[in-house]
């Protein structure tokens, strides 16, 4: 797997340095998560994990609290998830995850990102079969065998585990996220996850060059400026 999970983070950092975008993305995701599963993090494990991740990315407490407070009432926006995929510049592949209150608008906006960079949005499944949908945990821990044993005892179908300079990277199917996280927390009660996410990880990578580099950067920039876009995953190695 290598350090594939950093792919999306690095490209986001390159194309969008605006904190407002980060806060907006987390605010919307927290609101949807709290509205769907309850506002108490103790009873809503997805919300608890999301709050932890937001704090790690230095989202202010007032942003987190405002999003959860907003979910207390029964009304408010009605967001739904939407996933788009297609081929980007240089034959690259991309998956775009959105939360939207207007799917027609969002589809049109995402399609524009493809057409403005001479690319084409695909149908559902057109490129996602070339990605693995994985739960990823990265944390400081030396004993790879102990971690693997704890995961196997918890009946987690570990996809991969790597030890690099005292840091373990654990990959498991996205459906086993909570089971894997609980097993690691039981093993290491004070574990501090550097990465604690579900991501699409490409099975193979591509390198782009020439004019495609600038086109790809523009492609990501357009997507990252869209309020409805939550995550962008791609298989470009040098982006």
């Amino acid at each position: 797997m290598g350090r594939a999970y950093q792919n999306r983070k690095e490209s986001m950092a390159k194309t969008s340095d605006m904190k407002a975008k980060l806060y907006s993305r987390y605010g919307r995701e927290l609101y949807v998560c709290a509205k769907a599963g309850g506002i108490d993090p103790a009873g809503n494990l997805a919300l608890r994990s999301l709050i932890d991740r937001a704090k790690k990315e230095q989202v202010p407490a007032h942003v987190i609290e405002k999003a959860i407070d907003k979910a207390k009432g029964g009304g408010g926006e009605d967001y739904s998830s939407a996933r788009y995929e297609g081929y980007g510049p240089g034959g690259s592949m991309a998956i775009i995850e959105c939360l939207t209150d207007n799917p027609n608008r969002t589809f049109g906006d995402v399609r524009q990102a493809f057409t403005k960079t001479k690319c084409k949005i695909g149908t559902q499944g057109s490129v996602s079969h070339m990605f693995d949908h994985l739960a990823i945990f990265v944390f400081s821990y030396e004993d790879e065998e102990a971690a693997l044993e704890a995961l196997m005892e918890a009946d987690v179908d570990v996809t991969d585990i790597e030890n690099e300079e005292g840091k373990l990277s654990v990959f498991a199917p996205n459906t086993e996220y909570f089971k894997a996280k609980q097993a690691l927390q039981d093993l290491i009660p004070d574990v501090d996850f550097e990465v604690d996410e579900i991501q699409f990880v490409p099975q193979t990578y591509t390198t782009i060059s020439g004019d495609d580099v600038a086109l790809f950067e523009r492609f990501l920039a357009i997507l990252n400026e869209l309020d409805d876009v939550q995550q962008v995953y791609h298989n470009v190695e040098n982006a």
Side-chain angles (χ1 to χ4, degrees):
M1 295 285 174
R3 303 189 72 80
Y5 50 82
Q6 293 293 354
N7 200 28
R8 191 265 312 168
K9 283 185 178 299
E10 289 170 4
S11 57
M12 284 284 283
K14 283 182 180 179
T15 56
S16 177
D17 60 352
M18 295 182 296
K19 289 183 179 178
K21 170 64 178 175
L22 180 71
Y23 299 168
S24 173
R25 179 166 64 83
Y26 269 109
R28 186 175 295 195
E29 197 170 350
L30 286 159
Y31 166 75
V32 170
C33 187
K35 192 173 180 182
I39 62 171
D40 182 6
N44 185 344
L45 295 180
L47 180 62
R48 187 168 68 189
S49 293
L50 189 55
I51 291 172
D52 290 343
R53 199 158 75 238
K55 287 179 177 177
K56 274 198 177 300
E57 294 204 44
Q58 298 183 325
V59 176
H62 71 85
V63 173
I64 296 171
E65 290 164 7
K66 183 180 178 182
I68 295 173
D69 284 344
K70 191 176 175 184
K72 285 181 181 176
E77 295 92 342
D78 186 16
Y79 291 110
S80 59
S81 59
R83 182 181 299 151
Y84 307 103
E85 48 193 281
Y87 291 91
S92 59
M93 296 182 288
I95 298 174
I96 300 100
E97 291 195 320
C98 305
L99 282 175
T100 177
D101 58 356
N102 187 332
N104 289 334
R105 179 198 64 223
T106 305
F107 174 73
D109 289 344
V110 172
R111 183 173 56 185
Q112 280 291 307
F114 281 90
T115 57
K116 284 181 179 178
T117 51
K118 304 175 184 177
C119 304
K120 188 175 181 181
I121 195 168
T123 57
Q124 192 168 7
S126 58
V127 304
S128 57
H129 66 284
M130 296 298 294
F131 289 73
D132 294 318
H133 201 193
L134 299 174
I136 305 171
F137 304 94
V138 181
F139 52 98
S140 295
Y141 193 63
E142 295 284 352
D143 197 339
E144 180 180 340
E145 288 187 11
L148 183 58
E149 185 177 336
L151 289 161
M152 292 182 71
E153 283 182 0
D155 199 27
V156 175
D157 183 18
V158 179
T159 305
D160 196 10
I161 186 167
E162 298 175 357
N163 189 344
E164 186 176 338
E165 298 178 357
K167 286 187 180 178
L168 286 189
S169 299
V170 172
F171 301 83
N174 69 293
T175 52
E176 302 196 5
Y177 168 83
F178 291 111
K179 191 162 60 170
K181 184 172 183 178
Q182 188 61 56
L184 293 171
Q185 288 175 325
D186 290 344
L187 175 67
I188 318 160
D190 60 345
V191 64
D192 182 20
F193 293 112
E194 283 186 29
V195 177
D196 168 14
E197 295 186 13
I198 293 174
Q199 296 187 22
F200 281 96
V201 178
Q203 296 166 5
T204 58
Y205 285 85
T206 188
T207 301
I208 57 176
S209 58
D211 292 342
D212 288 332
V213 174
L215 268 181
F216 187 77
E217 288 179 353
R218 186 178 178 221
F219 174 67
L220 290 182
I222 294 170
L223 288 171
N224 289 333
E225 286 172 4
L226 298 176
D227 289 340
D228 294 340
V229 171
Q230 295 293 108
Q231 306 284 3
V232 179
Y233 304 100
H234 60 77
N235 71 331
V236 176
E237 193 165 32
N238 59 334

